[in-house]
């Protein structure tokens, strides 16, 4: 034998030594000479020694470009010498034991899995099998198995699947052997087909022979057995087998035993393994029923409550919470029907679509069916495994990714015939206006002469940039030089609709000398980056002569015994007179209930020395365009489907915007699971639940509790949304929102009134029929609250309130039919806790700052009355009437022409259009506030706003879904007529703008 001398080994580096040994091993594989087995045994033992002692050797063997693993696997595949096989298996175990999963992946890519499985099959034929060989083989397979996605299929094809199972059955007392065998079975069980096959061979029953009550012996084996069982029970077949044999009760007993004896929490992983088994078996209906029958809810609830004090046991608490939430019996919402409490009879019911589907629903669709495990009594798992998961998406194309840039360019040709578009000319009256009777700024013709030095692209200013007022003034009147052949041709053609009465001065030769200038008439004027000052201060800036239109805001004077306004109140109040009548004669509109405490006593003492003094509510800073009396006039003409007759105080008074950025609330750790535990207590301690209805739109004749400690609710006002309130505990209420009209879903927007509260008490509110799978309430968002008491104290503000806020799935559900074909869909809960500052206050809660349809009408009327008609062209028209009878306003804003001469009017008519719209989703009130600021900015004297008006014609639909806003809906609209009408208007404008510039801003929805 050609043994390497010891002296030469010391003289070469470890790297050279390893390469030399691998070269010898490779040569031995090629020669296959008799007697080389001893040499292979010697070389592999030397390599094993180097691998065990030097990390550098392990890295070198799996480095990129190295053939070490290939040589080792080739030797393992060809050799018959048992010792050489053991040496090589030990080498491979040492290599993959460290270095993460990369080294195991290298072994898989070299075909190691297939070689090891074939060796396992060969070794299993020996009688008895070599125990050392089986331990090493299973240990290595357990390490590389997670990196080979197809190991389950390979084991099944090679017939090696039951070898490990049989070894466990035959060697239950040999813990050294069955431990790696269980690890391999756990890897195999990740394949559902393998799990079913193993289950048929009794693997589930075998696992329950290994796991057992608390014992400090063989805890590693217990942990691996539990992990293997949890993987096996993910198969519905195995889970049903476990339920049929009563193993759910066994698992709960084992968990309680380990929980009681593991006082120092040293075996948390074993306890978690038991919970994982319970979690797997409760994925089926039979498992959940068995869990409930075994009193599992109470067991896990009590054990998890005992674990709350120890932070390191959070994994146990969280897993227990998941199991209990899953097993909590699904209930229907406590409503007669999940359809909206309000119904609007459509003149024509569509033949298809969601509205037609709603009309055709059977009467019992609200009954909840737990559909999460269909065909419970039949085997639904196919024995055919689609192993090629990586090839599933090979034919998938990204059809939603735009690849042709030409498709993004605006179309220059008409999409519809001109004849069909003529009907929309009524929405563009400015194009036919001749301004002959208007009092314009100039009475002399002043043709435009663009400055070539100031030409440039249009720059959209941003609120993040500020410059001096001088810079803004200096940029006023800048024009964009633009040569447009189509526009020039249009001027020469002088179409009929542009014909205007001319004066003699226009007919002289001087007009013909200006043809070259006319060819350069701009379609819009340039906006410089310097014109940005007013964009971050959205407010109207009017001259002194227009200040009278703003007024002084809303001032309400109330005496101790008399009042300018008669209000409704449940008990006498020395500061606020009893009320209940109308706000004014001849009107059915009533103001909501006013708080009964009046102004705080300490503030009263500081403001007056006697009770006879007047209490002033001055909200002059609420909004420059808010008018309380005008708002009431607008409410009188607003038509709601429920026929609201009350006005919410925040909408009547208005509010002062927050003077600072609203902070994100930091959620306390564990608040969500705490709330879920409190919900689970409803099932465990049912006698503690009050379950009393305190507000119900479906039963308006129901009596309202008169107890002093019960809150009163109301939402019967414009944009209000609250359908039902149930008192759960003394200070906890479940709230149910009303679905959109002619719908049975869309629950997000809420706006309601609360009264009758006490101070120093935390009231918990649960809105239990939300539908989105997640919410910003989980990430720091808070609901808004408006206090009437604070408003009386001259602080009319919406404020972010609430603690312990979270959003989570609850135990209420609806059937698949009611969910539109989806599987039984669960609802979600928004929960928050509020401590009120004033006793017997009247407070309003909202999802976001409310903005009603009546507020919009008031706002538009104020803007129209305040604008300067010599400078600003402001026109309000009706886009269409809604089915409920409300008008959908469309607003036109631009600059008046400089004079009524042809050149100026021609420039006016050829300004590009910019379309803006908001509130296509009525629940997104933030869009209306953005639109409000936009309108006020466009109507202001800001230089950049004036430049915008001179450059564009703004067509604005500030509220695209009036009926949805009025009736407090979230998303739906009675019909889509408004949406179609708006886009048809844009199409008509496109016809007029074809060949010139057509500007389109993203819709604010």
């Amino acid at each position: 034998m050609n043994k390497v001398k010891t002296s030469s080994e010391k003289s070469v580096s470890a790297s050279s030594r390893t390469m030399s040994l691998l070269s010898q091993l490779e040569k031995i594989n090629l020669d296959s000479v008799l007697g080389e087995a001893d040499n292979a045994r010697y070389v592999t033992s030397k390599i094993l020694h180097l691998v065990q002692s030097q990390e550098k050797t392990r890295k070198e063997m799996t480095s990129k470009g190295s053939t070490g693993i290939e040589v080792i696997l080739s030797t393992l595949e060809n050799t018959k010498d048992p010792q050489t096989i053991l040496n090589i298996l030990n080498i491979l175990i040492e290599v993959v034991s460290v270095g993460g999963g990369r080294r195991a992946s290298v072994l898989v890519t070299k075909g190691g899995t297939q070689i090891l499985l074939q060796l396992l099959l060969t070794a299993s034929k020996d009688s008895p099998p070599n125990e050392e060989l089986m331990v090493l083989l299973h240990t290595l397979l357990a390490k590389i198995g997670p990196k080979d996605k197809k190991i389950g299929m390979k084991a099944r094809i090679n017939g090696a699947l039951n070898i490990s199972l049989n070894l466990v059955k035959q060697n239950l007392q040999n813990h050294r052997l069955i431990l790696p065998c269980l690890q391999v079975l756990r890897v195999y069980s990740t394949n559902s087909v393998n799990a079913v096959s193993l289950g048929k061979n009794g693997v589930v029953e075998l696992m329950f022979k290994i796991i057992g009550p608390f014992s400090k012996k063989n805890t590693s084996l217990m942990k691996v057995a539990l992990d293997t069982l949890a993987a096996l029970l993910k198969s519905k077949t195995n889970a049903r087998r476990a339920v049929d044999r009563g193993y759910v009760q066994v698992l709960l007993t084992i968990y309680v035993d380990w929980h009681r004896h593991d006082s120092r929490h040293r075996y948390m992983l074993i306890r978690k393994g038991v919970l994982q088994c319970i979690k797997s078996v409760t994925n089926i209906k039979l498992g959940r029923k068995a869990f409930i029958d075994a009193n599992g809810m109470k067991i896990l609830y009590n054990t998890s409550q005992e674990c709350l004090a120890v932070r390191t046991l959070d994994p146990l608490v969280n897993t227990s919470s998941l199991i209990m939430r899953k097993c909590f019996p699904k209930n229907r919402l406590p409503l007669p029907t999940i359809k909206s409490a309000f119904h609007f009879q459509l003149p024509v019911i569509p033949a298809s679509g969601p509205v037609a589907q709603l009309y055709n629903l059977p009467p019992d669709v609200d009954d909840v069916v737990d559909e999460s495990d269909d065909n419970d009594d039949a085997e639904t798992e196919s024995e055919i495994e689609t192993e090629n998961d990586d090839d599933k998406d090979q034919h998938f194309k990204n059809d939603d990714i735009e690849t042709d840039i030409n498709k993004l360019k605006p179309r220059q040709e008409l999409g519809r015939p001109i004849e069909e578009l003529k009907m929309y000319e009524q929405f563009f009256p400015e194009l036919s206006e001749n301004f002959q009777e208007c009092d314009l700024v100039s009475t002399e013709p002043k043709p435009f002469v663009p400055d070539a030095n100031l030409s440039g692209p249009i720059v959209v200013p941003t609120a993040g940039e500020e410059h001096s007022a001088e810079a803004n003034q200096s940029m006023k009147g800048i024009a964009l030089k633009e040569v447009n052949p189509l526009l020039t041709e249009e001027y020469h053609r002088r179409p009929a609709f542009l014909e205007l009465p001319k004066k003699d001065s226009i007919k002289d030769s001087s007009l013909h000398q200006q043809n070259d200038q006319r060819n350069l008439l701009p379609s819009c004027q340039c906006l410089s980056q310097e014109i940005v000052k007013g964009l971050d201060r959205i407010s109207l800036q009017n001259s002194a002569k227009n200040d009278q239109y703003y007024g002084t805001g809303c001032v309400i004077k109330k005496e101790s015994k008399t009042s300018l306004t008669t209000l409704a109140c449940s008990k006498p109040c020395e500061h606020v007179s009893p009320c209940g009548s109308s706000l004014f004669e001849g009107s059915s509109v009533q103001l909501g209930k006013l708080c009964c405490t009046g102004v705080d006593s300490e503030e009263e003492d500081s403001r007056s020395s006697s009770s006879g003094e007047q209490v002033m509510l001055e909200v002059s800073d609420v909004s420059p365009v808010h008018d309380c009396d005008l708002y009431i006039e607008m409410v009188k003409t607003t038509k709601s489907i429920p026929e609201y007759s009350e006005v919410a105080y925040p909408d009547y008074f208005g509010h002062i915007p927050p003077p600072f950025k609203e902070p994100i609330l930091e959620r306390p750790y564990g608040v969500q699971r705490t709330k879920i535990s409190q919900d689970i207590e409803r099932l465990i301690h049912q006698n503690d639940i009050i379950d009393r209805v305190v507000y119900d739109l479906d039963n308006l004749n129901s009596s309202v509790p008169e107890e002093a400690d019960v809150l009163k609710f109301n939402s019967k006002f414009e944009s209000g949304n609250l359908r039902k309130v149930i008192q759960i505990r003394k200070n906890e209420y479940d709230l149910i929102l009303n679905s959109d009209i002619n719908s049975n879903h869309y629950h997000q927007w809420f706006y309601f009134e609360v009264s009758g509260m006490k101070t120093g008490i935390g009231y918990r509110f649960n809105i239990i029929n939300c539908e989105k799978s997640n919410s910003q309430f989980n990430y720091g968002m808070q609901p808004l609250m408006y206090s009437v008491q604070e408003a009386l104290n001259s602080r009319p503000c919406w404020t972010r309130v609430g603690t312990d806020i979270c959003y989570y799935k609850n135990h209420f559900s609806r059937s698949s039919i009611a969910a539109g074909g989806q599987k039984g869909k669960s609802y979600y809960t928004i929960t928050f806790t509020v401590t009120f500052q004033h006793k017997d206050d009247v407070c309003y809660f909202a999802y976001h700052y409310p903005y009603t349809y009546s507020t919009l009408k008031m706002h538009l009327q104020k803007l129209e009355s305040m604008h300067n008609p010599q400078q600003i062209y402001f026109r309000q028209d009706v886009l269409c009437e809604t089915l409920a009878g409300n008008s959908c306003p469309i607003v036109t804003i631009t600059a008046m022409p400089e004079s009524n001469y042809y050149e100026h009017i021609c420039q006016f008519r050829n300004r590009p259009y910019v379309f803006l719209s908001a509130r296509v989703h009525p629940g997104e009130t933030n869009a209306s506030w953005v639109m409000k600021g936009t309108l006020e900015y466009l109507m202001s004297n800001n230089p950049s706003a004036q430049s915008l008006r001179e450059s564009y014609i703004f067509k604005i639909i500030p509220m695209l879904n009036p009926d949805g806003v009025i009736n407090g809906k979230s998303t739906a609209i009675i019909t889509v007529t408004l949406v179609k009408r708006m886009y048809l208007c844009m199409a008509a404008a496109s016809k007029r703008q074809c060949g010139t510039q057509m500007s389109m801003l993203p819709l604010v929805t």
Side-chain angles (χ1 to χ4, degrees):
M1 290 183 291
N2 299 323
K3 296 184 179 180
V4 182
K5 297 182 179 179
T6 306
S7 59
S8 63
E9 289 181 356
K10 295 181 179 179
S11 63
V12 296
S13 64
S15 176
S16 300
R17 195 183 320 161
T18 304
M19 296 304 298
S20 176
L21 292 171
L22 289 173
S23 298
Q24 291 183 46
L25 190 60
E26 185 177 11
K27 184 178 179 181
I28 293 171
N29 293 336
L30 295 175
D31 292 343
S32 299
V33 180
L34 185 62
E36 291 295 331
D38 293 340
N39 199 7
R41 189 182 310 127
Y42 173 79
V43 173
T44 53
S45 64
K46 285 294 184 180
I47 296 175
L48 176 60
H49 174 73
L50 291 174
V51 169
Q52 289 175 336
S53 59
Q54 298 180 6
E55 170 62 18
K56 184 178 180 180
T57 302
R58 295 193 288 268
K59 288 183 178 180
E60 182 182 358
M61 292 186 63
T62 57
S63 62
K64 188 175 182 181
S66 174
T67 59
I69 294 294
E70 295 177 355
V71 173
I72 292 293
L73 290 176
S74 176
T75 305
L76 180 63
E77 188 176 14
N78 296 323
T79 186
K80 303 298 182 182
D81 181 54
Q83 188 57 48
T84 303
I85 294 175
L86 295 177
N87 289 342
I88 292 176
L89 291 177
N90 280 302
I91 291 172
L92 295 176
I93 291 173
E94 291 292 335
V95 168
V96 301
S97 294
V98 293
R102 190 191 67 83
R103 297 181 183 178
S105 299
V106 171
L107 187 57
V108 171
T109 57
K110 301 297 184 180
T113 306
Q114 188 68 30
I115 295 174
L116 293 175
L117 289 173
Q118 188 62 42
L119 181 60
L120 178 62
L121 185 62
T122 303
S124 65
K125 297 178 182 179
D126 297 338
S127 182
N130 188 326
E131 179 179 332
E132 183 67 20
L133 178 59
M134 287 298 180
V135 170
L136 293 178
L137 271 174
H138 283 86
T139 301
L140 188 55
L141 283 171
K143 290 182 179 296
I144 70 171
K147 294 299 178 181
D148 190 347
K149 296 180 179 180
K150 299 182 180 180
I151 188 173
M153 179 190 67
K154 294 175 182 177
R156 190 170 64 252
I157 293 175
N158 285 313
L161 194 61
N162 291 320
I163 294 176
S164 302
L165 178 60
N166 293 331
L167 283 174
V168 175
K169 290 180 178 180
Q170 298 166 6
N171 300 274
L172 281 177
Q173 303 305 319
N174 189 345
H175 296 162
R176 179 175 177 269
L177 175 59
I178 66 173
L179 179 61
C181 292
L182 290 177
Q183 293 173 336
V184 172
L185 288 175
R186 179 179 59 188
V187 175
Y188 290 164
S189 300
T190 56
N191 182 296
S192 60
V193 177
N194 288 348
V196 173
S197 177
L198 291 171
K200 292 179 180 179
N201 291 327
V203 69
V204 175
E205 295 82 355
L206 181 63
M207 292 300 104
F208 278 95
K209 293 180 180 179
I210 300 175
I211 64 175
F214 176 80
S215 174
K216 294 183 179 180
K217 298 179 180 180
N218 304 316
T219 54
S220 299
L221 182 64
M222 178 76 171
K223 174 64 175 62
V224 174
L226 288 169
D227 291 344
T228 305
L229 180 60
L232 289 165
L233 291 178
K234 290 180 180 179
S235 162
K236 294 180 182 179
T237 303
N238 294 336
R240 282 191 287 271
R241 184 175 285 107
V243 172
D244 293 341
R245 286 160 176 74
Y247 289 146
V248 175
Q249 178 68 63
V250 174
L251 287 171
L252 288 170
T253 303
I254 292 174
Y255 180 73
V256 171
D257 187 67
W258 281 86
H259 173 80
R260 291 175 179 174
H261 291 89
D262 186 22
S263 57
R264 297 187 178 182
H265 313 302
R266 294 179 177 178
Y267 306 108
M268 187 192 71
L269 293 179
I270 293 179
R271 294 158 64 181
K272 185 179 179 181
V274 179
L275 289 177
Q276 290 294 342
C277 294
I278 299 175
K279 180 182 175 183
S280 296
V281 79
T282 51
N283 284 333
I284 62 173
K285 285 189 291 186
L286 282 178
R288 291 190 289 273
K289 183 178 184 301
F291 178 83
I292 296 294
D293 294 341
N295 204 20
M297 295 289 287
K298 187 173 184 179
I299 291 173
L300 291 192
Y301 174 80
N302 292 335
T303 54
S304 61
Q305 293 300 306
E306 294 173 6
C307 295
L308 288 175
V310 184
R311 186 72 173 266
T312 56
L313 298 182
D314 282 353
L316 301 182
V317 179
N318 295 335
T319 306
S320 298
S321 177
L322 289 174
I323 296 171
M324 288 186 288
R325 291 176 64 187
K326 180 169 56 177
C327 295
F328 202 115
K330 294 294 182 182
N331 296 322
R332 58 173 293 172
L333 288 171
L335 296 172
T337 174
I338 61 174
K339 298 177 184 178
S340 175
F342 308 127
H343 177 74
F344 185 86
Q345 183 62 43
L346 298 177
V348 177
I349 300 176
S352 60
V355 176
Q357 181 183 7
L358 183 70
Y359 273 84
N360 296 326
L361 286 178
D364 57 345
V365 296
D366 294 338
D367 294 336
V368 173
V369 180
D370 186 1
E371 300 168 336
S372 58
D373 181 32
D374 298 328
N375 302 321
D376 188 47
D377 297 325
E379 177 58 59
T380 60
E381 293 165 292
S382 173
E383 295 291 340
I384 302 175
E385 179 79 9
T386 55
E387 304 287 352
N388 299 322
D389 295 335
D390 297 336
D391 299 333
K392 286 182 178 179
D393 301 328
Q394 61 180 354
H395 300 297
F396 176 77
K397 296 181 180 180
N398 296 321
D399 296 329
D400 57 330
I401 298 178
E402 184 63 68
T403 56
D404 187 359
I405 194 65
N406 293 323
K407 294 181 180 180
L408 301 178
K409 296 180 179 179
R411 297 174 57 185
Q412 298 298 324
E413 67 278 359
L414 296 179
R416 304 177 63 194
I418 295 180
E419 291 73 16
E420 295 184 16
L421 299 176
K422 284 185 177 180
M423 60 181 293
Y424 299 103
E425 290 182 357
Q426 59 178 312
F427 300 111
F428 303 91
E430 65 276 3
L431 298 181
S432 58
E433 180 68 59
N434 57 26
F435 301 100
Q436 296 302 308
E437 298 180 358
C438 297
D439 183 16
L440 301 178
V441 175
S442 175
T443 58
E444 299 295 332
K446 296 181 180 180
F448 288 97
V449 183
D451 189 347
N453 295 328
L454 294 177
S455 63
I458 297 177
V459 179
V460 179
T462 61
E465 303 174 358
E466 291 191 10
H467 295 279
S468 64
E470 291 78 12
N472 289 327
Q473 295 292 338
S474 65
M475 298 303 297
K476 183 177 179 181
I478 295 178
L480 172 66
K481 178 180 180 182
E482 181 176 291
V483 179
N484 194 320
L486 294 175
L487 182 60
T488 304
E489 182 182 354
E490 182 179 357
Y491 278 115
H492 284 301
R493 248 195 338 260
R494 298 178 62 82
F497 74 89
L498 284 178
E499 293 294 338
L500 299 173
K502 300 179 183 178
K503 296 186 178 181
D504 294 339
S505 60
I506 305 180
K507 297 180 181 180
D508 59 13
S509 59
S510 63
L511 180 62
H512 297 288
Q513 294 174 358
Q514 297 171 0
N515 284 338
D516 294 339
Q517 296 175 354
R518 189 180 304 165
N519 291 340
L520 299 177
L521 282 175
S523 61
C524 63
Q525 292 185 336
C526 175
L527 290 178
S528 169
Q529 288 181 332
E530 298 179 5
I531 308 179
V532 296
K533 180 179 180 181
L535 289 179
D536 58 345
R537 293 189 293 273
I538 306 299
S539 62
L540 286 173
Q541 302 175 10
N542 288 275
S543 58
K545 64 180 180 180
N546 290 331
D547 288 345
Q548 57 182 326
Y549 294 108
Y550 286 92
T552 58
C554 174
V555 180
I556 297 180
K557 300 181 180 180
K558 300 184 184 299
E559 298 182 357
S560 58
K561 295 184 179 179
T562 61
S563 175
L564 297 177
T565 305
T566 307
L567 305 172
C569 190
S570 61
K571 65 179 182 179
C573 175
E574 67 176 9
H575 296 293
V576 182
S577 60
C579 62
S581 349
S582 302
L583 285 170
F584 39 82
E585 294 185 5
S587 170
S588 60
V589 179
Q590 297 181 354
L591 212 57
K593 197 168 54 213
L594 192 66
C595 58
C596 297
T597 58
V599 183
D600 283 348
S601 57
E602 61 272 12
E603 297 197 14
E604 177 189 2
D605 294 338
S606 63
R607 294 188 182 188
S608 61
S609 57
S610 65
S611 61
E613 287 196 29
Q614 294 179 343
V615 178
M616 300 290 294
L617 171 61
E618 298 192 12
V619 289
S620 57
D621 294 331
V622 166
S623 173
V625 291
H626 188 84
D627 187 318
C628 301
D629 296 332
L630 180 59
Y631 181 81
I632 295 298
E633 293 296 328
M634 297 297 102
V635 170
K636 290 161 56 177
T637 61
T638 298
K639 300 176 183 179
S640 62
I641 293 176
E643 299 182 353
Y644 294 132
S645 60
E646 299 180 8
V647 177
Y649 268 90
D651 304 324
Y652 174 72
F653 286 142
H655 73 276
I656 300 174
F660 49 83
K661 291 183 178 180
E662 296 177 337
I664 297 296
L665 180 68
E666 184 175 352
R667 191 171 73 177
Y669 177 81
V671 63
Q672 187 178 67
R673 70 183 185 194
T674 300
K675 299 302 180 181
I676 293 173
S677 296
Q678 292 174 2
D679 288 351
I680 293 172
E681 288 178 2
R682 301 185 187 188
L683 181 65
I684 299 175
H685 307 295
Q686 298 183 10
N687 294 332
D688 298 338
I689 304 303
I690 299 175
D691 198 25
R692 173 170 51 182
V693 177
V694 297
Y695 179 75
D696 191 358
L697 279 184
D698 295 290
N699 186 11
L700 298 177
N701 297 325
S702 61
S703 59
V704 179
E706 297 297 333
E707 289 86 341
D709 58 347
V710 178
L711 296 179
K712 281 75 176 177
F713 294 83
N714 182 34
S715 65
K716 292 176 283 189
F717 46 80
E718 186 175 350
S719 294
N721 189 344
L722 183 64
R723 180 171 182 174
K724 190 172 185 177
V725 181
I726 303 173
Q727 185 182 17
I728 300 301
R729 299 181 179 92
K730 183 178 181 181
N731 300 317
E732 181 179 354
Y733 297 84
D734 278 358
L735 284 64
I736 303 176
L737 304 180
N738 194 18
S739 59
D740 285 359
I741 295 175
N742 292 344
S743 172
N744 59 7
H745 53 295
Y746 301 125
H747 308 93
Q748 178 174 332
W749 168 257
F750 58 86
Y751 185 20
F752 57 88
E753 170 194 294
V754 180
S755 60
M757 65 285 293
K758 295 182 179 180
T759 58
I761 297 176
Y763 292 91
R764 178 182 173 185
F765 300 95
N766 310 310
I767 301 176
I768 62 173
N769 64 331
C770 301
E771 294 182 67
K772 291 188 175 181
S773 59
N774 207 342
S775 169
Q776 290 299 316
F777 285 108
N778 273 337
Y779 305 100
M781 180 176 167
Q782 296 175 274
L784 284 160
M785 187 185 80
Y786 185 101
S787 168
V788 174
Q789 177 66 71
E790 289 292 303
L792 292 174
N793 293 335
S794 300
R795 293 186 293 272
C797 301
W798 283 99
T799 56
R800 298 282 179 183
V801 298
T803 58
D804 295 344
I805 302 173
C806 58
Y807 186 93
Y808 56 90
K809 184 186 293 186
N810 58 36
H811 59 279
F812 293 104
S813 180
R814 53 181 171 160
S815 65
S816 61
I817 301 177
Q822 304 177 33
K823 228 171 186 180
K825 191 173 182 180
S826 296
Y827 289 105
Y828 291 77
T829 292
I830 299 173
T831 181
F832 56 92
T833 301
V834 176
T835 302
F836 298 97
Q837 298 181 1
H838 307 284
K839 181 181 179 181
D840 293 328
D841 195 359
V842 176
C843 294
Y844 293 81
F845 290 91
Y847 181 82
H848 194 67
Y849 296 92
Y851 191 99
T852 64
Y853 174 70
S854 299
T855 301
L856 171 66
K857 293 193 295 183
M858 174 197 68
H859 185 208
L860 293 179
Q861 186 162 331
K862 293 291 290 185
L863 287 178
E864 186 171 10
S865 65
M866 290 187 297
H867 85 284
N868 184 350
Q870 287 187 328
Q871 297 180 354
I872 301 177
Y873 181 95
F874 180 94
R875 183 184 178 104
Q876 181 182 170
D877 297 294
V878 177
L879 178 65
C880 63
E881 294 288 333
T882 68
L883 289 179
N886 298 289
S887 61
C888 180
I890 179 171
V891 178
T892 306
I893 299 177
T894 188
M896 291 290 286
E898 189 172 347
S899 72
N900 56 13
Y901 288 93
Y902 174 77
E903 289 82 359
H904 295 130
I905 294 181
C906 197
Q907 188 273 345
F908 173 90
R909 292 177 175 175
N910 283 276
R911 294 171 185 169
Y913 275 90
V914 175
F915 279 87
L916 296 173
S917 75
R919 296 297 285 279
V920 67
H921 292 161
E924 298 170 358
T925 60
N926 48 338
S928 283
W929 292 107
V930 173
M931 182 60 76
K932 176 180 181 292
T934 302
L935 288 168
E936 293 178 1
Y937 174 74
L938 290 175
M939 297 290 289
S940 71
N941 291 333
N942 189 286
S944 57
Q946 182 175 347
S947 180
L948 284 170
R949 292 194 300 267
E950 293 172 353
S951 303
Y952 301 98
I953 298 177
F954 290 89
K955 283 289 183 181
I956 301 174
I957 305 175
M959 190 169 288
L960 195 55
N961 190 347
D963 287 347
V965 173
I966 294 168
N967 297 289
K969 303 303 106 187
S970 296
T971 301
I973 187 171
I974 295 178
T975 67
V976 296
T977 304
L978 295 181
V979 181
K980 292 182 178 178
R981 181 70 61 87
M982 185 198 71
Y983 288 112
L984 289 174
C985 287
M986 290 190 292
S990 299
K991 172 182 75 71
R992 179 209 169 287
Q993 292 293 329
C994 187
T996 63
Q997 292 190 12
M998 175 64 184
S999 300
M1000 185 67 186
L1001 267 65
L1003 302 182
V1004 181
T1005 58

